[in-house]
Amino acid sequence: MRKLIFLLLIVVFASQLYGKDKKDTKDLKIDSLTTANTLLKHQLDSVTRNYEAYVMVYIVVRDSIIKHDFDPSTTAVLIDSLKTSRNSAFAKVEALTASLKDSISILLVDNKKLQTTIDSLSVKKEVDITKMANDLKMLKELLDSKTLTQEEFDKQKAIIMKKYE
C-alpha cells in the first residue's frame, strides 16, 4: 500500500509538473508572440512615417519642380537629372566668372600701364613748358638786345610754339 500511495503521489506530482511545463510553454509562446507583435507594430509605424515623408517629398517635387504627375519610382532618376542640370549651370557660371576675373586682372594691368604713361606725360609736359618758357625768354632777351629783329623774333617764336605743342 505504501508503494501504491507513493506511486500515486508521484503520478499526481508528475501530472502537475507536466501540466505546468505545458502552461509555461504556452505562456512563453504568448509572451514571445506579444513581443514580436509589438516589434512589428513599431516597424509598421516607422514604415508609415517614412511613407508619409516620401509622399510629402513626391508632392513637393510634383507641384514645385516637375509641375505634373510622374511615376514615383522614377524620383531618384529625376533628382539625379536635376542635380546634373544644376551642376552644369553652376559650371557655366563658374567658367564665366573665371573668365571675367581674368578680364578684370588684364584690365587692371592695362590701367596701371596707362596711368604710368599719363604720369610720365604730365611730368614731360611740365618739363616741356619749362623749356619753352626758357627758350621764349632767351628769344625775348635777344629781341631786347636788338640782336634779332621783330620779324626774326616772330618767326622763331612760331617755330618754338609749334615744337612744344
Side-chain angles (χ1 to χ4, degrees):
M1 179 75 152
R2 276 185 176 178
K3 287 182 181 181
L4 186 61
I5 293 177
F6 182 71
L7 189 60
L8 187 62
L9 283 174
I10 291 177
V11 170
V12 170
F13 284 125
S15 66
Q16 285 181 355
L17 287 176
Y18 181 72
K20 280 187 178 180
D21 285 343
K22 283 190 175 180
K23 186 178 179 185
D24 287 341
T25 306
K26 286 181 183 177
D27 287 343
L28 287 176
K29 284 182 181 178
I30 290 173
D31 289 343
S32 66
L33 288 175
T34 304
T35 304
N37 189 26
T38 304
L39 290 173
L40 288 173
K41 281 183 183 178
H42 288 302
Q43 285 179 346
L44 180 63
D45 291 343
S46 173
V47 168
T48 302
R49 280 192 301 274
N50 289 340
Y51 174 75
E52 289 170 355
Y54 180 77
V55 167
M56 293 305 294
V57 168
Y58 168 77
I59 290 170
V60 169
V61 169
R62 181 193 67 200
D63 294 345
S64 302
I65 299 169
I66 307 298
K67 307 254 189 225
H68 65 79
D69 287 336
F70 61 93
D71 182 13
S73 64
T74 63
T75 303
V77 174
L78 291 171
I79 290 173
D80 287 343
S81 89
L82 291 172
K83 283 181 184 177
T84 303
S85 298
R86 180 200 65 200
N87 291 344
S88 68
F90 282 143
K92 288 177 185 175
V93 168
E94 287 174 1
L96 180 63
T97 303
S99 68
L100 289 176
K101 285 180 182 178
D102 290 342
S103 299
I104 289 172
S105 63
I106 290 170
L107 288 173
L108 288 173
V109 168
D110 288 346
N111 191 15
K112 284 182 182 178
K113 287 179 184 176
L114 290 172
Q115 188 63 44
T116 305
T117 306
I118 289 171
D119 292 343
S120 70
L121 289 176
S122 297
V123 170
K124 187 177 180 185
K125 193 171 185 178
E126 289 174 10
V127 170
D128 288 347
I129 291 173
T130 306
K131 278 185 176 181
M132 184 178 72
N134 287 336
D135 290 347
L136 288 175
K137 193 185 274 186
M138 190 185 328
L139 196 59
K140 178 68 173 152
E141 288 173 2
L142 289 173
L143 178 65
D144 290 342
S145 68
K146 306 237 183 200
T147 308
L148 291 176
T149 64
Q150 185 64 40
E151 291 172 6
E152 292 173 334
F153 173 79
D154 290 338
K155 214 184 258 185
Q156 290 297 321
K157 181 179 172 186
I159 291 171
I160 291 171
M161 295 297 280
K162 205 179 246 188
K163 180 180 174 183
Y164 290 108
E165 283 182 354

